[in-house]
């Protein structure tokens, strides 16, 4: 039977945007047409397959609870979200916490502080602390991914709240997980990092508190956040492991912990897509894949 050129073109296109086959695209489209949406199946799909940009923001909003499972109420809920955004904006302007020249990320931080009852008095304003810097890093990355300011704020807010609620107790244990999996992948590199003091100087806050915001470019970061938002913080460990493996030669030549920290905090950006792809493969290798049917 002769090959269908149109089908071959479609297959090549779907591979380019993140699908390995037409059936995966059809599966996601079917899931997104359900009413109510099956959030568990959407979460499983996001863990098993990459989300192309045409669907990503919508899926994130559903998985983060910004939009409810019932699709017929999405328009109404979106309007309520926008109205709440406008109300908080007006309140912050009235209290003179923000003005026309306030950077969007600082604006989002003040909104978050007000809604979580953490807004300081204007007379007690201080430079950002570590938690504020974590928020601002994630906000800057999300701002590069999402064009609409209302969607951007709600995604930042709900992403951070979900991350802290679901994974807050697990984050302190991720460095040990990194050590465990690195020992299985490259014990020689692990030994060198231990002996040089580099293991204790890895940028854990950048990797595990900021979810690689400010470390990976947004094109790569989105694929990592797909997995975090769909329910896995362990993916952060495997991205960190793959970064170490990818720069093994350079790291093996470093004997000062400060050099390791500085290099990894400002790592090259040109091969991050390959690093994330290998990290996802490593994640599936060690943790398996969700068995829930999609």
């Amino acid at each position: 039977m002769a090959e269908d050129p149109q089908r071959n073109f479609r297959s090549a296109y779907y591979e380019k945007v993140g699908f390995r086959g037409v059936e995966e695209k059809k599966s996601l489209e079917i899931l997104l047409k359900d009413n109510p949406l099956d959030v568990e199946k959407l979460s499983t799909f996001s863990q098993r397959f990459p989300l192309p940009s045409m669907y990503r923001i919508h899926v994130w909003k559903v998985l983060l609870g910004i939009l409810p499972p019932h699709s017929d109420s999405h328009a109404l809920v979106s309007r309520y979200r926008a109205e709440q955004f406008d109300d908080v904006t007006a309140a912050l302007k009235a209290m003179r916490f923000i003005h026309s020249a306030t950077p969007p990320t600082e604006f989002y931080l003040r909104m978050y502080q007000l809604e979580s009852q953490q807004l300081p008095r204007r007379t007690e304003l201080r430079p950002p602390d570590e938690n504020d810097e974590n928020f601002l890093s994630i906000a800057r990355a999300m701002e590069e991914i999402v064009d609409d300011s209302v969607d951007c704020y709600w995604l930042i807010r709900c992403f951070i709240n979900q991350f802290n609620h679901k994974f807050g107790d697990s984050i302190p244990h991720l460095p040990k997980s990194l050590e465990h999996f690195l020992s299985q992948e490259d014990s020689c590199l692990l030994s060198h990092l231990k002996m040089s003091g580099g293991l204790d100087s890895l940028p854990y806050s950048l990797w595990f508190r900021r979810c690689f915001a400010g470390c990976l470019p947004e094109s790569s970061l989105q694929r990592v956040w797909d997995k975090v938002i769909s329910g896995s913080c362990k993916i952060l460990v495997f991205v960190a492991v793959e970064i170490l493996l990818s720069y093994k030669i350079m790291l093996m030549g470093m004997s000062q912990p400060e050099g390791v920290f500085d290099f990894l905090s400002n790592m090259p950006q040109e091969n991050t897509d390959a690093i994330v792809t290998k990290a996802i493969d490593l994640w599936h290798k060690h943790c398996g894949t969700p068995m829930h049917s999609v």
Side-chain angles (χ1 to χ4, degrees):
M1 175 185 277
E3 292 185 351
D4 182 349
Q6 185 177 1
R7 180 174 180 176
N8 289 343
F9 170 80
R10 287 199 305 268
S11 298
Y13 170 75
Y14 292 140
E15 270 192 41
K16 184 176 181 181
V17 297
F19 290 114
R20 290 189 293 272
V22 177
E23 292 306 315
E24 294 171 15
K25 178 179 183 293
K26 289 181 178 177
S27 295
L28 181 55
E29 288 178 340
I30 290 170
L31 288 178
L32 292 175
K33 288 177 181 177
D34 285 345
N35 190 15
L37 296 169
D38 191 320
V39 177
E40 184 179 355
K41 286 186 178 181
L42 278 177
S43 176
T44 300
F45 189 99
S46 184
Q47 291 192 37
R48 292 182 65 183
F49 307 116
L51 291 173
S53 57
M54 67 182 80
Y55 298 110
R56 175 171 282 119
I57 300 305
H58 184 70
V59 172
W60 282 6
K61 287 162 74 174
V62 172
L63 293 179
L64 290 171
I66 299 168
L67 293 176
H70 289 274
S71 303
D72 51 7
S73 63
H74 284 184
L76 179 63
V77 171
S78 295
R79 194 179 80 207
Y80 288 157
R81 300 294 191 193
E83 289 174 354
Q84 183 173 339
F85 180 93
D86 291 341
D87 288 344
V88 177
T89 299
L92 287 170
K93 286 181 177 178
M95 292 185 289
R96 294 183 294 164
F97 272 93
I98 60 171
H99 47 78
S100 59
T102 302
T105 50
E106 183 183 338
F107 170 36
Y108 298 144
L109 174 62
R110 298 305 179 203
M111 291 185 72
Y112 184 78
Q113 289 175 332
L114 177 59
E115 293 199 297
S116 59
Q117 300 181 354
Q118 299 174 9
L119 187 70
R121 297 175 183 271
R122 289 188 69 253
T123 56
E124 298 173 355
L125 288 177
R126 62 193 186 285
D129 60 18
E130 184 177 358
N131 287 333
D132 293 342
E133 290 293 353
N134 293 341
F135 181 100
L136 290 168
S137 292
I138 291 172
R140 282 190 286 268
M142 193 71 79
E143 190 181 24
E144 293 296 319
I145 297 170
V146 186
D147 294 329
D148 182 81
S149 58
V150 175
D151 282 347
C152 188
Y153 170 68
W154 280 102
L155 284 164
I156 296 165
R157 170 187 163 169
C158 293
F159 176 73
I160 289 175
N161 283 344
Q162 176 182 284
F163 185 79
N164 291 336
H165 177 72
K166 279 191 172 182
F167 310 125
D169 292 339
S170 301
I171 300 305
H173 305 290
L174 295 186
K176 277 297 180 185
S177 292
L178 184 152
E179 183 178 343
H180 168 72
F181 290 113
L182 185 59
S183 70
Q184 297 186 24
E185 296 298 320
D186 196 320
S187 58
C188 181
L189 175 57
L190 176 61
S191 296
H192 172 75
L193 289 173
K194 283 184 174 181
M195 291 180 62
S196 66
L199 187 66
D200 293 329
S201 299
L202 298 180
Y204 291 121
S205 180
L206 174 63
W207 289 351
F208 301 150
R209 294 287 179 182
R210 302 182 185 181
C211 301
F212 291 96
C215 176
L216 297 175
E218 284 66 40
S219 60
S220 302
L221 187 65
Q222 294 176 75
R223 298 169 60 205
V224 178
W225 284 6
D226 284 346
K227 311 307 179 187
V228 176
I229 290 172
S230 63
S232 173
C233 70
K234 190 66 72 68
I235 185 62
L236 302 175
V237 170
F238 292 105
V239 174
V241 168
E242 198 56 53
I243 287 173
L244 297 177
L245 294 175
S246 297
Y247 293 106
K248 174 181 177 177
I249 294 176
M250 295 195 68
L251 294 173
M252 292 291 285
M254 296 180 182
S255 57
Q256 298 298 320
E258 297 82 4
V260 172
F261 178 85
D262 290 342
F263 173 76
L264 294 174
S265 296
N266 302 278
M267 54 177 273
Q269 304 285 287
E270 61 268 11
N271 65 337
T272 55
D273 283 344
I275 288 174
V276 170
T277 297
K278 292 177 182 178
I280 292 172
D281 290 341
L282 206 60
W283 175 56
H284 287 308
K285 169 187 168 183
H286 287 284
C287 298
T289 56
M291 298 305 294
H292 195 73
S293 175
V294 294

